[in-house]
Amino acid sequence: MAEPAIRKAITVLDMLSRDPETVRLAELRMKQIFDERSMLEGAREEGIKEGIKEGIKEGLYEAAKNLLAIGVDLPTIVKATGLTEEEISKIK
C-alpha cells in the first residue's frame, strides 16, 4: 500500500464501484466475456466430435479398400465395416 500508483488505483476502483451505471456496464461486459468463452468452448467440443466422426469414417473406408484389395466379397465388407454397398462401390 506504500506505492502511490497502487493507492491511486484502489481509490479510482472504489469510486467506480460506487457508480451503479459503471457497475452495470462492468457486469454486462463480464457476462459477454463469459458467453463468448462458453460459445467458443462449445464450438471446440463440436469440432472435436465432428473430427473424430470423420476420422472413424475415413478408417472404415481404408479398411474397405484393403478388404477389396485382398478379394473379400462385398457382403462381407458391408458386414465388417458397416458401410453401405454404394459407399464401398465408390471406393472401387
Side-chain angles (χ1 to χ4, degrees):
M1 292 296 262
E3 290 290 323
I6 292 175
R7 262 186 283 140
K8 183 177 180 180
I10 290 172
T11 303
V12 170
L13 181 61
D14 188 46
M15 284 180 8
L16 290 175
S17 66
R18 292 181 198 173
D19 178 26
E21 181 63 11
T22 302
V23 171
R24 187 183 76 76
L25 292 173
E27 288 172 350
L28 286 174
R29 179 66 182 133
M30 287 303 294
K31 183 184 180 315
Q32 180 184 15
I33 289 168
F34 288 137
D35 289 348
E36 287 174 3
R37 193 175 290 161
S38 179
M39 274 183 9
L40 288 172
E41 183 61 29
R44 180 181 170 276
E45 287 175 13
E46 185 62 33
I48 288 171
K49 286 179 188 175
E50 192 63 35
I52 289 170
K53 203 187 229 180
E54 192 168 315
I56 290 170
K57 194 75 161 177
E58 285 179 23
L60 291 173
Y61 282 128
E62 188 64 30
K65 184 177 164 185
N66 292 338
L67 291 170
L68 285 168
I70 61 172
V72 176
D73 62 289
L74 193 58
T76 303
I77 297 172
V78 169
K79 228 183 252 186
T81 63
L83 297 173
T84 66
E85 287 187 17
E86 184 179 296
E87 289 172 312
I88 295 168
S89 296
K90 288 179 184 177
I91 297 169
K92 288 181 182 179

